[in-house]
Amino acid sequence: LFLTALERFSQKLGRSPDLKVDIINDKDSERAKKKSEKLERIVTSYDKFQKLHMQLPQAARWLPGYGFVVWTIGHKRDKDGNPYPYAELQDPFTCYPGVFGNDQQPQELAIIRRVPHAILAEQYPDAKTFIYAKEENDGYQTPYSALYESTERAAQWANSSGAGKVVVEYRDKEGTYVYLPENKKIIDFMPNMLKSGPCFVVAKRYAFDQMQSQFHHITGLMANMAKINILGTIAMEDAVFTETNIVGEIESGKYRKGRFAVNYLAPGSSVSKPVNNLPYQLFQQVDRLERHLRLGAAYPVSDDGQSPNAFVTGRGLEELGQS
């Protein structure tokens, strides 16, 4: 239920919103209309170049689970060398935003990654001595650097080897600092070009006192539903494989079970199977729990192609009784 709820919810969130640019200066003039239309075209092309339609479905899967998603604002260049802004989606698992505050927009952000030594040295050749240095031995060139080069080059995709150096990318109003915590060294600084604030945006679900995921408050219900489902299955098995009681003597020797089995009993004998009926309330409770789960997960039955009317589910008898 969690998985399907996340998938359906993400499909609703993951489409690109319709772009709307208000008329400049609130003046209903032809010049203001043309200016806002031009702005709309510029923003549409930015969204197209950064493949926003591909980023949003991923953000929509992270948002319900983590409670927030981070976009960092950088720039790329087109074929003519002209720079344009580029919003890059970051994995919230490696992002550590600062205090959210009353305006719910943190002013600082740390992104912590493990980057292979060879890739890092390629990007920052001036800091090569620190990248291959051991902890507390600043400037020490490790004898295993050649080994690092050969092994990490083969497994550089998404750092599948798990080797490398921990790098902290810290962003605030001033700019972006690239920091090696192991060596206590800042190896790069990029000034912030934006007037609007730090060069990142945090999209989030508004929380009361702390960040919570979409499914944070319904895990208990889910556990309860699983428990009652298991108990129902055990009770059903017990009802099917109930014991047989024979009062009297059997004349055919061993008591046979299964299809086409015939047993001869002495006159006056009786055979009984105790009926272990399942209480109807058990299944009603499972249906009730499922309804609470769907409400808590904001996941309607119509998303699964079911009718939203109550007669389809186990609450049908209740509805009939009321009517």
Side-chain angles (χ1 to χ4, degrees):
L1 195 69
F2 274 5
L3 190 64
T4 46
L6 186 63
E7 194 68 25
R8 300 288 187 274
F9 190 50
S10 302
Q11 283 169 357
K12 290 176 184 175
L13 288 174
R15 60 177 293 273
S16 301
D18 298 324
L19 191 65
K20 180 180 177 288
V21 177
D22 293 322
I23 290 176
I24 309 295
N25 300 332
D26 295 328
K27 289 179 182 175
D28 196 13
S29 65
E30 196 62 35
R31 189 181 173 191
K33 281 181 183 174
K34 282 186 176 176
K35 198 171 180 184
S36 63
E37 281 172 9
K38 185 182 178 183
L39 265 177
E40 199 168 302
R41 286 197 301 274
I42 290 168
V43 176
T44 305
S45 60
Y46 285 164
D47 290 350
K48 185 183 172 186
F49 277 116
Q50 66 203 9
K51 294 188 173 66
L52 191 70
H53 67 285
M54 297 292 283
Q55 292 190 29
L56 283 170
Q58 182 59 65
R61 274 151 184 79
W62 278 337
L63 192 61
Y66 286 105
F68 73 96
V69 178
V70 176
W71 269 279
T72 51
I73 313 297
H75 73 277
K76 285 195 173 182
R77 294 184 183 274
D78 62 10
K79 58 185 178 186
D80 301 322
N82 302 313
Y84 64 91
Y86 186 87
E88 191 176 357
L89 186 65
Q90 303 291 336
D91 182 359
F93 190 69
T94 59
C95 293
Y96 297 85
V99 179
F100 275 77
N102 290 340
D103 60 352
Q104 286 284 298
Q105 198 59 252
Q107 296 299 302
E108 52 184 356
L109 170 79
I111 302 171
I112 301 175
R113 294 194 187 94
R114 187 176 283 277
V115 183
H117 292 78
I119 304 295
L120 201 59
E122 214 171 85
Q123 288 179 328
Y124 303 104
D126 296 342
K128 209 175 226 183
T129 48
F130 303 122
I131 289 163
Y132 287 113
K134 298 254 178 152
E135 193 176 358
E136 298 301 334
N137 289 329
D138 300 342
Y140 169 72
Q141 186 72 26
T142 168
Y144 303 111
S145 56
L147 188 66
Y148 277 136
E149 289 281 346
S150 57
T151 54
E152 290 182 13
R153 180 64 60 190
Q156 60 176 289
W157 181 77
N159 193 12
S160 53
S161 63
K165 210 165 186 69
V166 174
V167 180
V168 177
E169 197 179 293
Y170 176 78
R171 292 166 181 260
D172 63 3
K173 281 182 180 177
E174 292 176 11
T176 305
Y177 298 86
V178 180
Y179 176 69
L180 298 180
E182 196 180 314
N183 307 99
K184 303 179 179 63
K185 294 285 178 188
I186 295 171
I187 58 170
D188 199 6
F189 171 71
M190 289 151 277
N192 180 21
M193 308 299 286
L194 302 177
K195 292 177 184 176
S196 56
C199 52
F200 64 89
V201 176
V202 179
K204 69 210 158 293
R205 299 177 66 244
Y206 285 89
F208 183 65
D209 62 338
Q210 59 180 353
M211 275 290 168
Q212 284 195 346
S213 74
Q214 169 76 8
F215 307 108
H216 190 272
H217 57 295
I218 56 168
T219 45
L221 275 172
M222 196 79 196
N224 214 350
M225 186 172 171
K227 196 189 295 180
I228 290 180
N229 261 321
I230 290 164
L231 285 173
T233 309
I234 291 169
M236 198 176 284
E237 277 194 8
D238 287 349
V240 172
F241 302 110
T242 185
E243 64 277 9
T244 306
N245 296 329
I246 303 171
V247 182
E249 286 186 19
I250 186 165
E251 291 185 343
S252 56
K254 190 181 174 187
Y255 184 81
R256 296 166 72 195
K257 294 172 90 170
R259 290 181 183 177
F260 313 118
V262 179
N263 292 299
Y264 296 97
L265 305 175
S269 302
S270 65
V271 179
S272 66
K273 274 177 104 64
V275 181
N276 188 7
N277 278 334
L278 279 178
Y280 171 70
Q281 290 90 334
L282 184 78
F283 296 110
Q284 219 174 14
Q285 183 61 25
V286 170
D287 284 332
R288 240 183 223 120
L289 275 173
E290 188 191 357
R291 186 160 172 271
H292 291 323
L293 274 171
R294 287 187 184 278
L295 288 172
Y299 173 45
V301 288
S302 51
D303 281 4
D304 275 340
Q306 294 181 29
S307 168
N309 297 327
F311 65 82
V312 181
T313 65
R315 295 179 63 241
L317 285 174
E318 205 176 309
E319 292 285 323
L320 288 172
Q322 285 173 3
S323 60

